Coordinates of all heavy atoms in Angstrom, one line a residue:
I683 N 0.7 -8.7 -4.1 CA 0.1 -7.6 -3.4 C -1.3 -7.9 -3.0 O -1.9 -7.3 -2.0 CB 0.1 -6.3 -4.3 CG1 0.0 -5.1 -3.5 CG2 -1.0 -6.3 -5.4 CD1 1.2 -4.6 -2.8
E684 N -1.9 -9.0 -3.5 CA -3.2 -9.4 -3.1 C -3.3 -9.8 -1.7 O -4.4 -9.8 -1.0 CB -3.7 -10.6 -4.0 CG -4.1 -10.2 -5.4 CD -2.9 -10.2 -6.4 OE1 -1.8 -10.5 -5.9 OE2 -3.1 -9.9 -7.6
E685 N -2.2 -10.2 -1.1 CA -2.1 -10.7 0.3 C -2.5 -9.6 1.3 O -2.7 -9.9 2.5 CB -0.7 -11.3 0.6 CG -0.4 -12.5 -0.1 CD 0.2 -12.3 -1.5 OE1 0.4 -11.1 -1.9 OE2 0.4 -13.3 -2.2
L686 N -2.5 -8.4 0.8 CA -2.9 -7.3 1.7 C -4.4 -7.3 2.1 O -4.8 -6.7 3.0 CB -2.6 -5.9 1.1 CG -1.1 -5.5 1.0 CD1 -1.0 -4.2 0.2 CD2 -0.5 -5.4 2.4
G687 N -5.1 -8.1 1.3 CA -6.6 -8.3 1.6 C -7.4 -7.0 1.4 O -8.4 -6.8 2.0
L688 N -6.9 -6.2 0.4 CA -7.7 -5.0 0.1 C -8.8 -5.3 -0.9 O -8.8 -6.4 -1.5 CB -6.7 -4.0 -0.5 CG -5.5 -3.5 0.4 CD1 -4.6 -2.6 -0.4 CD2 -6.0 -2.9 1.6
S689 N -9.6 -4.3 -1.2 CA -10.7 -4.5 -2.1 C -10.1 -4.7 -3.5 O -8.9 -4.3 -3.8 CB -11.6 -3.2 -2.2 OG -10.9 -2.1 -2.7
S690 N -10.8 -5.3 -4.4 CA -10.3 -5.5 -5.8 C -10.1 -4.2 -6.4 O -9.1 -4.1 -7.2 CB -11.3 -6.4 -6.6 OG -12.6 -5.7 -6.6
R691 N -10.8 -3.2 -6.1 CA -10.6 -1.8 -6.7 C -9.2 -1.3 -6.3 O -8.5 -0.8 -7.1 CB -11.7 -0.9 -6.3 CG -11.4 0.5 -6.7 CD -12.5 1.5 -6.2 NE -12.1 2.9 -6.4 CZ -12.9 3.8 -6.7 NH1 -14.2 3.6 -6.8 NH2 -12.4 5.0 -6.9
A692 N -8.9 -1.4 -5.0 CA -7.6 -1.0 -4.5 C -6.5 -1.8 -5.1 O -5.4 -1.2 -5.5 CB -7.6 -1.0 -3.0
I693 N -6.6 -3.1 -5.2 CA -5.6 -3.9 -5.8 C -5.4 -3.6 -7.3 O -4.3 -3.4 -7.8 CB -5.9 -5.4 -5.7 CG1 -5.9 -5.8 -4.2 CG2 -5.0 -6.3 -6.5 CD1 -4.6 -5.8 -3.5
D694 N -6.5 -3.4 -8.0 CA -6.4 -3.0 -9.4 C -5.7 -1.6 -9.6 O -4.9 -1.4 -10.5 CB -7.8 -2.9 -10.0 CG -8.4 -4.3 -10.3 OD1 -7.7 -5.3 -10.2 OD2 -9.7 -4.3 -10.5
A695 N -6.0 -0.7 -8.7 CA -5.3 0.6 -8.7 C -3.8 0.5 -8.5 O -3.1 1.1 -9.2 CB -5.9 1.5 -7.6
L696 N -3.4 -0.4 -7.6 CA -2.0 -0.6 -7.3 C -1.3 -1.2 -8.6 O -0.2 -0.8 -9.0 CB -1.8 -1.4 -6.1 CG -2.1 -0.8 -4.8 CD1 -2.0 -1.8 -3.7 CD2 -1.3 0.4 -4.5
K697 N -2.0 -2.2 -9.1 CA -1.4 -2.9 -10.3 C -1.3 -1.9 -11.5 O -0.3 -1.9 -12.2 CB -2.2 -4.1 -10.7 CG -2.0 -5.2 -9.7 CD -2.8 -6.4 -10.1 CE -2.5 -7.6 -9.2 NZ -3.2 -8.8 -9.6
K698 N -2.3 -1.0 -11.7 CA -2.2 -0.1 -12.8 C -1.1 0.9 -12.6 O -0.5 1.5 -13.5 CB -3.5 0.7 -12.9 CG -4.6 -0.2 -13.5 CD -5.9 0.6 -13.6 CE -7.0 -0.3 -14.2 NZ -8.3 0.3 -14.1
A699 N -0.7 1.1 -11.3 CA 0.4 2.1 -11.0 C 1.7 1.3 -11.0 O 2.8 1.9 -10.7 CB 0.2 2.7 -9.6
G700 N 1.7 0.0 -11.4 CA 2.9 -0.7 -11.5 C 3.4 -1.3 -10.2 O 4.6 -1.8 -10.0
I701 N 2.5 -1.4 -9.2 CA 2.9 -2.0 -7.9 C 2.3 -3.4 -7.8 O 1.1 -3.6 -7.7 CB 2.3 -1.1 -6.7 CG1 3.0 0.3 -6.8 CG2 2.6 -1.7 -5.4 CD1 2.4 1.3 -5.9
E702 N 3.2 -4.3 -7.8 CA 2.8 -5.7 -7.8 C 3.2 -6.5 -6.6 O 2.8 -7.7 -6.4 CB 3.4 -6.4 -9.1 CG 3.0 -5.7 -10.3 CD 2.1 -6.5 -11.2 OE1 1.9 -7.7 -11.0 OE2 1.5 -5.8 -12.1
N703 N 4.0 -5.9 -5.7 CA 4.5 -6.7 -4.5 C 4.7 -5.7 -3.3 O 4.6 -4.5 -3.5 CB 5.8 -7.5 -4.8 CG 6.9 -6.6 -5.3 OD1 7.2 -5.6 -4.7 ND2 7.5 -7.0 -6.4
F704 N 4.9 -6.3 -2.2 CA 5.1 -5.5 -1.0 C 6.3 -4.5 -1.1 O 6.2 -3.4 -0.6 CB 5.3 -6.4 0.3 CG 4.1 -7.2 0.7 CD1 4.2 -8.3 1.5 CD2 2.8 -6.9 0.2 CE1 3.1 -9.0 1.9 CE2 1.7 -7.6 0.6 CZ 1.9 -8.7 1.4
G705 N 7.4 -5.0 -1.7 CA 8.5 -4.1 -1.8 C 8.2 -2.9 -2.6 O 8.7 -1.7 -2.2
Q706 N 7.5 -3.0 -3.7 CA 7.2 -1.8 -4.5 C 6.2 -0.9 -3.7 O 6.3 0.3 -3.9 CB 6.5 -2.3 -5.8 CG 7.5 -3.0 -6.7 CD 6.9 -3.6 -7.9 OE1 5.7 -4.1 -7.8 NE2 7.6 -3.7 -9.1
F707 N 5.3 -1.5 -3.0 CA 4.4 -0.7 -2.2 C 5.1 0.1 -1.2 O 4.9 1.3 -1.0 CB 3.3 -1.6 -1.6 CG 2.3 -0.8 -0.8 CD1 1.2 -0.2 -1.5 CD2 2.4 -0.6 0.6 CE1 0.3 0.6 -0.8 CE2 1.4 0.1 1.3 CZ 0.4 0.7 0.6
L708 N 6.0 -0.6 -0.4 CA 6.8 0.1 0.6 C 7.7 1.2 0.0 O 7.9 2.2 0.6 CB 7.6 -0.9 1.4 CG 6.8 -1.8 2.3 CD1 7.7 -3.0 2.8 CD2 6.2 -1.0 3.5
E709 N 8.2 0.9 -1.2 CA 9.1 1.9 -1.9 C 8.3 3.2 -2.1 O 8.7 4.3 -1.9 CB 9.6 1.3 -3.2 CG 10.6 2.2 -3.9 CD 11.2 1.5 -5.1 OE1 11.7 0.4 -4.9 OE2 11.1 2.1 -6.2
R710 N 7.0 3.0 -2.6 CA 6.2 4.1 -2.9 C 5.8 4.8 -1.6 O 5.8 6.1 -1.5 CB 4.9 3.7 -3.6 CG 3.9 4.7 -3.9 CD 4.3 5.7 -5.0 NE 4.4 5.1 -6.3 CZ 3.5 5.2 -7.3 NH1 2.4 5.9 -7.1 NH2 3.7 4.6 -8.4
L711 N 5.6 4.0 -0.5 CA 5.2 4.6 0.8 C 6.4 5.4 1.4 O 6.1 6.3 2.1 CB 4.8 3.5 1.7 CG 4.1 3.8 3.0 CD1 2.8 4.6 2.7 CD2 3.7 2.5 3.7
N712 N 7.6 5.1 1.0 CA 8.7 5.9 1.5 C 8.6 7.3 1.0 O 9.2 8.2 1.6 CB 10.1 5.3 1.0 CG 10.5 4.1 1.8 OD1 10.4 4.1 3.0 ND2 11.2 3.2 1.2
G713 N 7.9 7.6 0.0 CA 7.6 8.9 -0.5 C 6.6 9.7 0.3 O 6.2 10.8 0.0
G714 N 6.0 9.0 1.3 CA 5.0 9.6 2.1 C 3.6 9.1 1.7 O 3.4 8.5 0.7
N715 N 2.6 9.3 2.6 CA 1.3 8.9 2.4 C 0.7 9.5 1.1 O 0.0 8.9 0.3 CB 0.3 9.2 3.5 CG 0.6 8.4 4.8 OD1 1.2 7.4 4.7 ND2 0.1 8.9 5.9
E716 N 1.1 10.7 0.8 CA 0.6 11.5 -0.3 C 1.0 10.7 -1.6 O 0.2 10.7 -2.6 CB 1.1 12.9 -0.4 CG 0.6 13.7 0.8 CD 1.4 13.5 2.1 OE1 2.5 13.0 2.1 OE2 0.8 13.8 3.2
A717 N 2.2 10.1 -1.6 CA 2.6 9.4 -2.8 C 1.7 8.2 -3.1 O 1.5 7.9 -4.3 CB 4.1 9.0 -2.7
V718 N 1.3 7.6 -2.1 CA 0.4 6.4 -2.3 C -1.0 6.9 -2.6 O -1.7 6.4 -3.5 CB 0.4 5.5 -1.1 CG1 -0.6 4.3 -1.3 CG2 1.8 5.0 -0.8
L719 N -1.5 7.9 -1.9 CA -2.8 8.5 -2.1 C -3.0 9.1 -3.5 O -4.1 9.3 -4.0 CB -3.2 9.5 -1.0 CG -3.3 8.8 0.4 CD1 -3.5 9.9 1.4 CD2 -4.5 7.8 0.4
A720 N -1.9 9.4 -4.1 CA -1.9 10.0 -5.5 C -2.3 9.0 -6.5 O -2.6 9.4 -7.7 CB -0.6 10.7 -5.8
I721 N -2.3 7.7 -6.2 CA -2.7 6.7 -7.1 C -4.2 6.7 -7.3 O -4.9 6.6 -6.3 CB -2.3 5.3 -6.6 CG1 -0.7 5.2 -6.4 CG2 -2.8 4.2 -7.5 CD1 -0.3 4.0 -5.6
P722 N -4.7 6.9 -8.5 CA -6.1 7.0 -8.8 C -6.8 5.7 -8.3 O -6.3 4.6 -8.6 CB -6.2 7.1 -10.3 CG -4.9 7.7 -10.7 CD -3.9 7.1 -9.7
G723 N -7.9 5.8 -7.5 CA -8.6 4.7 -7.1 C -8.1 4.1 -5.8 O -8.7 3.1 -5.3
F724 N -7.1 4.7 -5.2 CA -6.5 4.2 -3.9 C -6.7 5.3 -2.9 O -6.0 6.3 -2.9 CB -5.0 3.8 -4.1 CG -4.5 2.9 -3.0 CD1 -4.6 1.6 -3.0 CD2 -3.9 3.5 -1.8 CE1 -4.2 0.7 -2.0 CE2 -3.5 2.7 -0.8 CZ -3.6 1.3 -0.9
G725 N -7.6 5.0 -1.9 CA -7.9 6.0 -0.9 C -7.4 5.8 0.5 O -6.6 4.8 0.7
Q726 N -7.7 6.7 1.4 CA -7.3 6.6 2.7 C -7.6 5.3 3.5 O -6.8 4.8 4.2 CB -7.8 7.8 3.5 CG -7.3 7.9 5.0 CD -5.8 8.2 5.0 OE1 -5.3 9.1 4.4 NE2 -5.1 7.4 5.8
A727 N -8.8 4.8 3.3 CA -9.2 3.6 4.0 C -8.3 2.4 3.5 O -7.9 1.6 4.3 CB -10.6 3.3 3.7
S728 N -8.0 2.4 2.2 CA -7.1 1.3 1.7 C -5.7 1.5 2.2 O -5.1 0.5 2.5 CB -7.1 1.3 0.1 OG -8.4 1.1 -0.4
L729 N -5.2 2.7 2.3 CA -3.9 3.0 2.8 C -3.8 2.5 4.2 O -2.8 1.8 4.6 CB -3.6 4.4 2.7 CG -2.2 4.9 3.3 CD1 -1.1 4.2 2.6 CD2 -2.1 6.4 3.1
T730 N -4.7 2.9 5.1 CA -4.7 2.5 6.5 C -4.8 1.0 6.6 O -4.0 0.4 7.4 CB -5.9 3.1 7.2 OG1 -5.9 4.5 7.1 CG2 -6.0 2.7 8.7
A731 N -5.6 0.3 5.8 CA -5.7 -1.2 5.9 C -4.4 -1.8 5.5 O -3.9 -2.8 6.1 CB -6.9 -1.7 5.0
A732 N -3.8 -1.3 4.4 CA -2.6 -1.8 3.9 C -1.4 -1.7 4.9 O -0.7 -2.7 5.1 CB -2.2 -1.2 2.6
K733 N -1.3 -0.6 5.6 CA -0.3 -0.4 6.5 C -0.5 -1.3 7.7 O 0.5 -1.9 8.3 CB -0.2 1.1 7.0 CG 0.3 2.0 5.9 CD 0.7 3.4 6.3 CE -0.4 4.2 6.9 NZ 0.0 5.6 7.2
K734 N -1.7 -1.5 8.2 CA -2.0 -2.4 9.3 C -1.6 -3.8 9.0 O -1.0 -4.5 9.8 CB -3.5 -2.3 9.7 CG -3.8 -1.1 10.5 CD -5.3 -1.1 10.9 CE -5.7 0.2 11.6 NZ -7.1 0.2 12.0
K735 N -1.9 -4.2 7.7 CA -1.6 -5.6 7.3 C -0.1 -5.8 7.2 O 0.4 -6.8 7.7 CB -2.3 -5.9 6.0 CG -2.1 -7.3 5.5 CD -2.7 -8.3 6.4 CE -2.5 -9.7 5.7 NZ -3.1 -10.7 6.5
L736 N 0.6 -4.8 6.6 CA 2.0 -4.9 6.5 C 2.7 -5.0 7.9 O 3.6 -5.8 8.1 CB 2.6 -3.7 5.8 CG 2.4 -3.7 4.3 CD1 2.7 -2.4 3.7 CD2 3.2 -4.8 3.6
R737 N 2.2 -4.2 8.9 CA 2.8 -4.3 10.2 C 2.5 -5.7 10.8 O 3.4 -6.2 11.5 CB 2.1 -3.2 11.1 CG 2.7 -1.8 10.8 CD 2.2 -0.8 11.9 NE 2.4 0.5 11.4 CZ 1.4 1.4 11.1 NH1 0.2 1.0 11.1 NH2 1.7 2.6 10.7
S738 N 1.3 -6.2 10.6 CA 1.0 -7.5 11.2 C 1.8 -8.6 10.6 O 2.0 -9.6 11.2 CB -0.5 -7.8 11.0 OG -0.8 -8.2 9.7
L739 N 2.3 -8.4 9.4 CA 3.2 -9.4 8.7 C 4.6 -9.2 9.1 O 5.5 -9.9 8.6 CB 3.0 -9.3 7.2 CG 1.6 -9.8 6.7 CD1 1.5 -9.4 5.2 CD2 1.4 -11.2 6.9
G740 N 4.9 -8.2 9.9 CA 6.3 -7.9 10.4 C 7.1 -6.9 9.5 O 8.3 -6.8 9.8
Y741 N 6.4 -6.3 8.6 CA 7.1 -5.3 7.8 C 7.2 -4.0 8.6 O 6.3 -3.7 9.3 CB 6.4 -5.0 6.5 CG 6.6 -6.1 5.5 CD1 5.6 -7.2 5.4 CD2 7.6 -6.2 4.6 CE1 5.8 -8.2 4.5 CE2 7.7 -7.2 3.7 CZ 6.8 -8.2 3.7 OH 6.9 -9.3 2.8
E742 N 8.3 -3.2 8.4 CA 8.4 -1.9 9.0 C 7.8 -0.9 8.0 O 8.3 -0.8 6.9 CB 9.9 -1.6 9.2 CG 10.5 -2.5 10.3 CD 11.2 -1.8 11.3 OE1 11.3 -0.6 11.3 OE2 11.8 -2.5 12.2
V743 N 6.8 -0.2 8.5 CA 6.2 0.9 7.7 C 7.1 2.1 7.9 O 7.4 2.4 9.0 CB 4.8 1.1 8.1 CG1 4.2 2.3 7.4 CG2 3.9 -0.1 7.9
P744 N 7.5 2.8 6.8 CA 8.4 3.9 6.9 C 7.8 4.9 8.0 O 6.6 5.2 8.0 CB 8.4 4.6 5.5 CG 8.1 3.4 4.6 CD 7.1 2.5 5.4
A745 N 8.7 5.5 8.8 CA 8.3 6.4 9.8 C 7.5 7.6 9.3 O 6.5 8.0 9.9 CB 9.5 6.9 10.6
A746 N 7.9 8.1 8.2 CA 7.3 9.3 7.6 C 5.8 9.0 7.2 O 5.0 9.8 7.0 CB 8.0 9.8 6.4
A747 N 5.5 7.7 7.0 CA 4.2 7.3 6.6 C 3.4 6.6 7.7 O 2.3 6.2 7.4 CB 4.4 6.3 5.4
A748 N 3.9 6.7 8.9 CA 3.2 6.0 10.0 C 1.9 6.8 10.3 O 1.9 8.1 10.2 CB 4.1 6.0 11.2
S749 N 0.9 6.1 10.7 CA -0.3 6.8 11.2 C -0.9 6.1 12.4 O -0.6 5.0 12.7 CB -1.3 6.9 10.0 OG -1.8 5.6 9.7

């Protein structure tokens, strides 16, 4: 998940939530932006950056979570 290039705080927040790879992040994102933003320490700026990075790597960001 470090490949997203997020701050260490955001990466730590994801890891504490049990998210260690892109697949797990996308699975959480399938629940909507709110599901990801509910992770303590993971905010809107990190979510936006993560989605942009995933798109640039060729991943499909769930439609419900597009911004």
Side-chain angles (χ1 to χ4, degrees):
I683 201 78
E684 288 86 359
E685 292 84 3
L686 287 175
L688 302 175
S689 69
S690 57
R691 175 183 168 146
I693 294 296
D694 288 345
L696 291 174
K697 288 183 176 182
K698 285 180 184 171
I701 298 172
E702 306 249 341
N703 58 51
F704 292 162
Q706 291 170 327
F707 183 81
L708 289 167
E709 188 176 303
R710 179 70 67 100
L711 197 53
N712 277 326
N715 290 344
E716 297 78 21
V718 178
L719 292 173
I721 299 169
F724 196 88
Q726 184 64 51
S728 296
L729 175 60
T730 301
K733 291 195 297 186
K734 285 181 182 177
K735 181 64 174 181
L736 286 168
R737 285 189 196 109
S738 76
L739 293 172
Y741 288 90
E742 294 228 5
V743 174
S749 67

